[in-house]
């Protein structure tokens, strides 16, 4: 992957050391229409990662999630697909935003991470998505 290729699609982090990121690792070697990626969870208590493959349609679905979040609604990304799901609750169980990463089809583990992202996080993530789409989607074959 070249140095100019966008690597971080999602980065929800706070000053408490809690973060959930989705990193792009490059084109999926076994599927020309996919990108190898990983979800990384880091907290002072628990950390982990899980692999996934992203298609252009999953990237477009992330745009829809950002629209819902901007409208003040909770968002679910990759729900009901094989592999992990990401849920963003604007007001979670602890009174702040929470990111829930669920790996129901694999490890059957769910991790709930409270994060307080900066005020401009949705605009930042739209810009991240645009860069990812511009760079990667033309390389993906159907």
């Amino acid at each position: 992957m070249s140095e100019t290729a966008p690597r971080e699609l999602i980065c929800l982090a706070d000053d408490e050391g809690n973060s959930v990121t989705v990193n792009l690792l490059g084109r999926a070697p076994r599927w020309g229409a996919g990108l190898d990626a990983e979800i990384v969870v880091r907290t002072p208590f628990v950390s982990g990662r899980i692999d996934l493959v992203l298609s252009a349609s999953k990237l477009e679905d992330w745009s829809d999630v950002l629209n819902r979040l901007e409208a003040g609604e909770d968002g679910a990304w990759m729900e009901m697909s094989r592999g992990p799901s990401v849920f963003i609750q604007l007001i979670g169980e602890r009174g702040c935003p929470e990111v829930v990463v669920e790996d129901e089809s694999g490890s059957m583990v769910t991790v709930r991470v409270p994060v307080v992202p900066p005020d401009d996080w949705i605009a930042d993530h739209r810009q991240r998505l645009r860069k990812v789409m511009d760079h990667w989607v033309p390389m993906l074959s159907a």
Side-chain angles (χ1 to χ4, degrees):
M1 190 163 63
S2 73
E3 290 179 3
T4 60
R7 176 164 161 70
E8 215 172 52
L9 175 65
I10 298 172
C11 180
L12 296 170
D14 64 20
D15 296 338
E16 304 297 318
N18 295 330
S19 68
V20 176
T21 57
V22 175
N23 300 315
L24 304 173
L25 306 175
R27 291 181 59 195
R30 292 186 213 122
W31 182 44
L35 292 172
D36 278 341
E38 65 182 353
I39 299 172
V40 179
V41 174
R42 287 195 177 96
T43 75
F45 176 65
V46 66
S47 295
R49 61 172 296 284
I50 186 167
D51 293 321
L52 68 148
V53 177
L54 296 176
S55 62
S57 65
K58 283 185 180 177
L59 294 172
E60 291 165 7
D61 290 346
W62 176 237
S63 178
D64 295 339
V65 172
L66 290 172
N67 290 339
R68 282 195 294 281
L69 292 165
E70 190 170 55
E73 302 171 19
D74 292 344
W77 186 44
M78 299 185 295
E79 185 180 24
M80 304 300 289
S81 68
R82 293 195 308 189
S85 301
V86 177
F87 303 90
I88 299 174
Q89 299 171 337
L90 294 173
I91 301 175
E93 292 178 1
R94 291 159 187 87
C96 66
E98 289 181 341
V99 182
V100 179
V101 179
E102 189 173 274
D103 181 32
E104 190 173 294
S105 64
S107 66
M108 296 187 283
V109 171
T110 299
V111 179
R112 179 178 301 275
V113 181
V115 293
V116 181
D119 291 339
D120 65 345
W121 73 273
I122 293 175
D124 174 55
H125 280 79
R126 284 190 194 286
Q127 185 176 23
R128 290 170 184 269
L129 176 60
R130 191 168 26 261
K131 288 178 183 177
V132 165
M133 297 287 281
D134 290 347
H135 182 87
W136 288 109
V137 171
M139 294 183 208
L140 302 179
S141 59

